[in-house]
Amino acid sequence: MKKMFRLTGLLSAMLLPSISTAQQGVELPALKQEATADVDGLQTLTQQMVDEIFSFSELGFQEVETSRYVTGILEKNGFHVERGVAGIPTAWVATYGSGKPVIAFITDVDCIPRASQKPGVAYHAPIIEGAPGHGEGHNSGMAVNVTAALVLKKLMDKHHLAGTIRLIPGVAEELLGTKAFYVRAGLFKDADIVLGAHVSHQFATTYATGEGIWSGLVSVQYFFHGKAAHAAARPWEGRSALDAVSLMNAGWEFRREHLRLQQRSHYIVLNGGDQPNVVPSEAAVWYYFRELDYPHIKELYELGDTMAQAATMMTGTTVDHHLVGSAWPPFFNKVIAEAQQKNIEAVGMPKWSDADQTLAKALQKEIAAKVEGLKEKVEPFSEPAKNPAGGGSDDVGDISWNVPMVYLMYPANIPNLPGHSWANGVAMATPIAHKGSTAGAKVQALTALDFLLQPELVNQAWDYFRNVQTKEIHYETFLSAEDKPAIEMNKEKMEKFAPQLKKFYYDPTRYKTYLEQLGTQYPTVKAQP
Ligand SMILES: [Zn+2]
């Protein structure tokens, strides 16, 4: 891995003179002004992408309509699209331009189970009861990155700028299911920098492990196999796979007291058998093992395997396990983050209307969160946490250990929400998400221009990557050679809900906005008592 990095660095160093000549005579500040105006000019398309992907509401690995729609827009605009990359049907790579630097954009596209919600309504009101929905706001990311990419393409053509723009979807981020496979498939091997974007209630970026940024993890399913028998007539002939699940969980709960405080581990029972009078021959449990670094995550993973083995010994069953996701804790590049912060400050927060603030405050009140409306100021550059305590995860972490990367947080949602729920979907097809995505697209375009026009910045980013970030820590994948992307996941759920969701797909040829199509008054809030 390390050798490959050196080679890439060498290559970009060799190509430096040609980049500078190609980009000569174009002033960066003027280009940035042009980019900002061009993003504003695409506001209607940005809004349509936010609304359309919101209406598709597709779960991880089943982002079929989303992929078809986004790649269609990119192809129509001259991007070359390769589909089904890394053995994942809904993954793709879209490319425009040629030569160095190669700037890759990535953002998530999948949604959350049971998070269906009418946008613009400040209380729980599902579009379809029990259906998936964008209760994390991943519907806005492609609007951000595609808008930025279309603007960059136009500027590259007009001003004859060398460089390659590449877009990749964060398929199945909610399952931490793809980025390690993307890395293994070499999707980033010639990338110079990666600009990730993620929805937030704030406008912010950070470097290193950041403030409150995530743990890494492995997500593992244990399938126990026993022997069926009549549970009353001949129980002694059976061996219960469910007993093994119960004992593994009990073992884990006792052991939890003696684990580091930084760990987070949780499980759900995937299969507990069919009916009580049949000794369950099959049962399964799904664990997330989270920790702060590779060795500790690996340790938890091995402990999980030990617990599973021990449970089989106690119950006379067997087990096999299936890794369905993995993620390194992210580490972001200081050089790119510093450039990005300047662009965040230049772009500034969107101008929220009274209606936007009314929706935000009503939702905060509804869920008993702090009532403070939407943020009005961008966040100051945040320093890395001194003693990270752990928390959520994001599989972009694996990318960030293979190429200099940052993660832009753009302000397209309401503060103080619980995350992964209907409440996080309320603003996601309203002017809050539309304006926030336009602001995010500006920063993505401006930061890309910084690196397209200043090859020395690319070198500085790699210098930080090699000499600070990876000086002592080297990337090792959690994947074994046999591990494959879990592309069957969520299939049944989407087969159940897709026909119902289809009736609510957004039609921009008939309605200006999705709110208009649904006939929702903006904002819809409960009457004050
Ligand atoms: Zn996310």
Side-chain angles (χ1 to χ4, degrees), residues 108 136 138 173-174 198-199 394 407 420:
D108 303 327
E136 162 81 358
H138 285 176
E173 187 278 327
E174 297 300 347
H198 196 281
V199 60
D394 190 312
Y407 218 24
H420 290 183

Side-chain angles (χ1 to χ4, degrees), residues 159-213:
H159 301 284
H160 311 290
L161 305 177
T164 305
I165 299 294
R166 187 174 289 162
L167 287 95
I168 300 170
V171 166
E173 187 278 327
E174 297 300 347
L175 297 169
L176 294 308
T178 54
K179 310 313 192 312
F181 293 100
Y182 285 179
V183 169
R184 186 165 84 179
L187 296 197
F188 300 94
K189 68 179 188 298
D190 66 340
D192 289 292
I193 64 164
V194 176
L195 300 176
H198 196 281
V199 60
S200 178
H201 57 272
Q202 56 185 17
F203 218 174
T205 190
T206 187
Y207 69 99
T209 52
E211 184 68 53
I213 299 191

Side-chain angles (χ1 to χ4, degrees), residues 345-368:
E345 284 163 16
V347 170
M349 288 299 282
K351 301 265 175 292
W352 307 122
S353 68
D354 288 346
D356 300 336
Q357 291 288 11
T358 302
L359 179 76
K361 286 177 183 162
L363 179 62
Q364 288 164 341
K365 186 160 179 271
E366 172 71 14
I367 61 165

Side-chain angles (χ1 to χ4, degrees), residues 320-341:
D320 41 54
H321 80 260
H322 179 201
L323 180 133
V324 295
S326 68
W328 268 59
F331 192 107
F332 299 122
N333 190 277
K334 192 176 183 187
V335 176
I336 315 176
E338 282 170 350
Q340 186 164 65
Q341 179 69 22

